[in-house]
Amino acid sequence: MNELTPLRRVTIIDIAREAGVSPSTVSLVLQKNERISAETRQRVEDVIQRLGYKYNRSAANLRRQTSQAIGLIINDICNPFFAEMTAGVQSVLQGTDFLVFLVEAGDDVERQSRVYRSLEEHGIGGLIIFPASETKPEFLERIAAGGTPICVAVRRPPDADVDYVGPDNRLAGRMATRHLIDLGHKRIAFLSGEAHSPARIDRIAGYRDALQRAGLKFDPALCLESRPTRANAIIDVQKALDLKDPPTAAIGYNDNVAIAAMHGLRLRGVEPGRQFAIIGIDGTSDAELAHPALTTVALHAHDIGRRAAELVLERIKAPSRVHENVILRPNLIVRSSCGSR
């Protein structure tokens, strides 16, 4: 253990570090909250006594008047899907004493760890997280074991034993592909998404399911991998058009990708909805405003956020309850971007 200088006040963060728990767990021990196990409580109290920490209860009470918060870590603050998910979280918390601390971590596990530590230092009461695609289950399970009620949303690393709520991504991929096949398309591209993304893996699996059921051959050249940005979507759809046997339709990894791909088509003189069919996956409000209006598979972002917030609040009240795995069924919304054949 590093020696602590006598000139510096011992903090909750010092206690947490020495006891191997989160700062919020130390706070709960100090508040004599019954959520903490006897073993963890004893370990924290031993460190408190050893370091000579003095608990200022009046200051803590003052802080709690303004710091009751649920942390929300998302991937991309500019993506309408996350805006709608955040609105779902807010719809539940607005009737409680909790506020939302919203932070963006991108798809970077290191930044994700840093922003989580920052949230913990502010004493969050719970956490909803859309994890980076390379997040290890152990990271999420450590958060839960440290006493922070956590719910993973949309993207779940395999085997993580935590509360989860998200869409059936495999079914979403199958629905999108089946719709295009039913319109007569046989060469269907899948645009964007990174290879290690659990959501992309599931959506591609659904895409392959639908091809196989229709007796169509899977062609890996039609699956273009990239970070799902608008710039990459424009490049990807043009790469697809340059194939020796180009597609007549495409599925965007998400609505943002599909909408940007329509711009990429126009740059090549191809009119979406009339000369090329395109469909997104998300069901955001932006899809309806696109030109042509985007056919999409709705994943119900608002409902995901709402249910995630409910699960966190339920775990705050009952920390030892069985973990829940909530899968929401997507639905197809047909508009004009796929035209008809």
Side-chain angles (χ1 to χ4, degrees):
M1 179 186 89
N2 295 329
E3 291 294 329
L4 295 172
T5 171
L7 298 177
R8 184 168 72 83
R9 183 188 297 273
V10 177
T11 68
I12 285 178
I13 296 172
D14 296 325
I15 303 298
R17 187 180 300 115
E18 292 296 320
V21 298
S22 69
S24 61
T25 298
V26 177
S27 293
L28 291 172
V29 170
L30 291 168
Q31 296 163 33
K32 303 188 183 303
N33 192 296
E34 295 180 358
R35 288 168 46 194
I36 305 302
S37 69
E39 180 184 357
T40 300
R41 181 183 302 279
Q42 187 61 55
R43 185 164 77 251
V44 171
E45 288 177 346
D46 288 347
V47 172
I48 288 171
Q49 184 175 5
R50 176 156 48 87
L51 297 185
Y53 176 78
K54 302 298 182 184
Y55 182 43
N56 186 334
R57 185 170 300 278
S58 62
N61 288 338
L62 180 62
R63 284 195 303 272
R64 279 199 298 278
Q65 290 177 12
T66 57
S67 67
Q68 276 190 298
I70 301 297
L72 175 57
I73 300 177
I74 61 172
N75 182 280
D76 179 3
I77 204 165
C78 295
N79 189 324
F81 181 89
F82 293 112
E84 294 180 21
M85 192 178 91
T86 301
V89 172
Q90 291 274 31
S91 71
V92 172
L93 297 184
Q94 66 184 2
T96 73
D97 293 329
F98 287 100
L99 301 174
V100 177
F101 279 180
L102 174 64
V103 290
E104 180 188 59
D107 204 30
D108 183 336
V109 291
E110 293 299 324
R111 174 167 171 75
Q112 178 176 264
S113 294
R114 290 196 302 272
V115 299
Y116 169 67
R117 286 196 297 271
S118 179
L119 287 172
E120 277 294 276
E121 288 170 5
H122 283 83
I124 55 170
L127 178 69
I128 299 167
I129 181 171
F130 177 97
S133 55
E134 294 185 343
T135 300
K136 302 297 183 187
E138 293 80 11
F139 171 76
L140 303 171
E141 290 170 349
R142 278 199 303 272
I143 294 173
T148 300
I150 176 175
C151 181
V152 174
V154 184
R155 178 189 281 172
R156 181 177 185 171
D159 304 321
D161 189 18
V162 293
D163 287 325
Y164 171 78
V165 56
D168 187 335
N169 278 304
R170 186 165 186 154
L171 179 57
R174 190 159 61 241
M175 283 180 167
T177 311
R178 179 76 257 175
H179 179 65
L180 293 172
I181 291 171
D182 287 345
L183 292 174
H185 297 281
K186 293 181 171 55
R187 295 282 291 171
I188 301 168
F190 191 100
L191 305 177
S192 198
E194 295 173 288
H196 52 254
S197 163
R200 184 183 190 270
I201 290 169
D202 285 346
R203 291 172 195 179
I204 290 285
Y207 164 82
R208 297 188 67 162
D209 288 344
L211 292 176
Q212 183 177 22
R213 292 181 187 184
L216 298 176
K217 183 180 178 182
F218 170 74
D219 182 353
L222 289 172
C223 292
L224 290 99
E225 176 197 341
S226 67
R227 185 169 173 77
T229 66
R230 294 187 176 189
N232 285 341
I234 292 170
I235 294 169
D236 287 347
V237 75
Q238 295 188 11
K239 285 181 179 178
L241 293 176
D242 288 336
L243 292 172
K244 184 177 180 180
D245 186 8
T248 60
I251 301 164
Y253 168 79
N254 59 28
D255 286 355
N256 258 356
V257 165
I259 292 168
M262 291 199 289
H263 179 62
L265 290 169
R266 290 193 179 97
L267 291 175
R268 295 288 292 270
V270 178
E271 185 59 30
R274 290 196 288 113
Q275 297 170 294
F276 194 98
I278 192 152
I279 185 170
I281 297 176
D282 265 353
T284 60
S285 56
D286 282 8
E288 188 174 6
L289 301 176
H291 178 68
L294 181 68
T295 293
T296 183
V297 178
L299 303 183
H300 309 295
H302 189 279
D303 290 344
I304 288 171
R306 178 183 55 77
R307 188 67 185 115
E310 289 172 348
L311 288 174
V312 168
L313 294 180
E314 288 167 14
R315 188 155 298 280
I316 289 172
K317 294 176 182 176
S320 60
R321 67 175 179 78
V322 175
H323 290 121
E324 290 193 42
N325 185 46
V326 180
I327 307 297
L328 303 182
R329 182 181 176 85
N331 67 283
L332 178 69
I333 300 174
V334 178
R335 298 192 179 103
S336 53
S337 67
C338 293
S340 60
R341 291 171 65 95

